[in-house]
Amino acid sequence: MSRLLGGTLERVCKAVLLLCLLHFLVAVILYFDVYAQHLAFFSRFSVRGPTRALHPVASSSTNCSRPNTTVPSSGLPEAPSARPGPTAPVLPPCPDSPPGLVGRLLIEFTSPMPLERVQRENPGVLLGGRYTPPDCTPAQTVAVIIPFRHREHHLRYWLHYLHPILRRQRLRYGIYVINQHGEDTFNRAKLLNVGFLEALKEDATYDCFIFSDVDLVPMDDRNLYRCGDQPRHFAIAMDKFGFRLPYAGYFGGVSGLSKAQFLRINGFPNEYWGWGGEDDDIFNRISLTGMKISRPDIRIGRYRMIKHDRDKHNEPNPQRFTKIQNTKLTMKRDGIGSVRYQVLEVSRQPLFTNITVDIGRPPSWPPRG
């Protein structure tokens, strides 16, 4: 009996010893695990310690110079966001030969032409008569200058036909109507000088200038209103002259010069009051500077003129022939550098910009006879 009891007690003691050993092993494992965690925790502090020590110095320094500055928690100014913003699409250059041109056009001046209709027909034209093609980048920025007085009827037809033509030609352009104030003798060339200067005041990127009478409409949209290496005469075949040039040196109606070409000839003359002569003076200026006039093919350079009664204040200039013969002597002193005028009103209409100007009065001419 005593042997049986002793064997049982021995087994119980071994079991308790094994449990104690197991407990010790578990305790050792847990101890080293906790120790490793603490070691990693304190090592993190030991690495960041020097960096943290710099922050209060930088923060204190900033607050001393700008007491109302809010300093970020890092103590350093936050860098701007590097998120890319929306970028405009890069448009291809406009083609030299626009694909949407029609060619020969039917031009008539009998249908009623209210400005409201013209505006509905040209929804892409912005205030002031500005337009930019939405699908390509033009090589030039074109200002179309119209000398004007008492021709509202003609202007409506001109806008009706020219806005669609210029849009099909893929031009970036603006329309400027230079309205002569008062009832004194008309001065076409001086108004064109004013238009050149006033257009550049509005947009200094203009590098091509088309000078057009308000009563002339092209009959073919392939007659591109652009500037080239030489001054260009567009209206080479008007119905008024039987669709041919009236004489070899004719430069009237519609012409185009780049900004550099216009300045090279000192602009247009200011002293041609009344009808005629100024276009011949301009032709002489171009020839005297060594440039040559380019013209379109006669098949596409045709124009129709809107018939009208001659303005009683636009009678022929009796001194025009004498002036034409002296262009070489006058072109340096009479031109864009000597033009004097006063702007009375600038009105940006839906289809054009109207600029009313006072250009003064003509000199008294001696009586003829």
Side-chain angles (χ1 to χ4, degrees), residues 70-141:
T70 301
V71 181
S73 59
S74 65
L76 298 174
E78 294 181 345
S81 175
R83 298 175 184 173
T87 57
V90 178
L91 299 177
C94 292
D96 292 335
S97 299
L101 298 180
V102 177
R104 292 290 296 273
L105 304 171
L106 176 62
I107 307 296
E108 58 88 16
F109 306 118
T110 57
S111 303
M113 194 57 60
L115 279 177
E116 293 76 14
R117 171 185 168 182
V118 183
Q119 187 175 352
R120 289 195 303 269
E121 293 170 344
N122 298 277
V125 177
L126 303 180
L127 188 67
R130 302 294 300 270
Y131 177 79
T132 299
D135 55 352
C136 63
T137 302
Q140 299 177 342
T141 303

Side-chain angles (χ1 to χ4, degrees), residues 17-94:
L17 182 62
L18 288 174
L19 286 174
C20 290
L21 182 60
L22 181 62
H23 177 75
F24 175 79
L25 292 175
V26 171
V28 170
I29 293 172
L30 291 176
Y31 173 83
F32 280 105
D33 182 67
V34 172
Y35 176 81
Q37 292 181 11
H38 278 265
L39 184 62
F41 178 78
F42 285 108
S43 64
R44 190 170 58 211
F45 275 93
S46 64
V47 173
R48 292 188 179 181
T51 306
R52 286 175 175 264
L54 291 176
H55 292 171
V57 177
S59 176
S60 173
S61 166
T62 306
N63 286 338
C64 285
S65 60
R66 298 181 62 185
N68 294 325
T69 302
T70 301
V71 181
S73 59
S74 65
L76 298 174
E78 294 181 345
S81 175
R83 298 175 184 173
T87 57
V90 178
L91 299 177
C94 292

Side-chain angles (χ1 to χ4, degrees), residues 189-191 193-194 197 268 270 333-341 359:
K190 190 171 184 179
L191 291 173
N193 279 340
V194 172
L197 294 173
F268 297 158
N270 299 305
R333 65 171 176 81
D334 178 24
I336 193 66
S338 62
V339 62
R340 299 291 180 267
Y341 64 95
I359 60 173

Side-chain angles (χ1 to χ4, degrees), residues 144 146 154-162 212-214 216:
V144 183
I146 302 174
H154 301 149
L155 180 60
R156 290 194 293 270
Y157 282 107
W158 190 96
L159 294 169
H160 166 68
Y161 286 112
L162 264 295
S212 174
D213 289 345
V214 73
L216 287 176

Side-chain angles (χ1 to χ4, degrees), residues 126-130 144 146 155 159 163 174-179 198-199 202 206 345-356:
L126 303 180
L127 188 67
R130 302 294 300 270
V144 183
I146 302 174
L155 180 60
L159 294 169
H163 269 304
I175 306 295
Y176 296 88
V177 175
I178 313 302
N179 179 38
E198 291 301 312
E202 181 175 275
Y206 282 124
E345 182 185 18
V346 177
S347 175
R348 290 175 178 81
Q349 303 294 324
L351 299 169
F352 62 95
T353 296
N354 183 83
I355 303 177
T356 301

